[in-house]
Amino acid sequence: MSLITCALCAAIALRLLFYRRAPGARHRHSMSFLAWLIVIVCAIVVVRIASGYHESTDPFVIILVGVFCAAVFSAEGNIARLCGVRPPKRSETELHA
């Protein structure tokens, strides 16, 4: 069970690490910090499981991590999209520039 959790956390961390913003997309510091925090937590879980400090994983935790992993991959690693943050509406002058 712990190996499943380890694989899911590694997948989340790697997907977030290899995320690339679309051309012209805004950089949001808060979303970058949240992505960084998720990568760090997932990496710590992977290291703890690999080093034997993590004894067992509850099946419901695996379901939770699995759903989160699916959401991250569905959003293509875009934490802003995952959180429901929408891009700002462009003004008329930006549209015709």
Side-chain angles (χ1 to χ4, degrees):
M1 292 269 218
S2 293
L3 290 177
I4 297 170
T5 305
C6 184
L8 290 170
C9 285
I12 291 168
L14 288 172
R15 183 63 187 110
L16 292 177
L17 280 173
F18 289 109
Y19 169 72
R20 285 206 171 278
R21 281 192 326 259
R26 282 184 44 201
H27 176 78
R28 293 183 175 91
H29 293 289
S30 59
M31 294 295 114
S32 293
F33 177 74
L34 183 58
W36 174 83
L37 189 63
I38 293 168
V39 167
I40 294 299
V41 170
C42 287
I44 289 171
V45 170
V46 169
V47 169
R48 285 180 54 91
I49 291 171
S51 62
Y53 284 114
H54 190 79
E55 293 183 16
S56 66
T57 303
D58 188 32
F60 294 106
V61 172
I62 294 174
I63 293 170
L64 177 66
V65 174
V67 168
F68 186 66
C69 183
V72 167
F73 274 85
S74 174
E76 299 174 351
N78 187 343
I79 293 296
R81 188 184 324 161
L82 187 64
C83 293
V85 176
R86 300 285 177 225
K89 293 182 180 178
R90 294 186 175 197
S91 66
E92 294 274 333
T93 56
E94 289 178 346
L95 290 174
H96 298 295

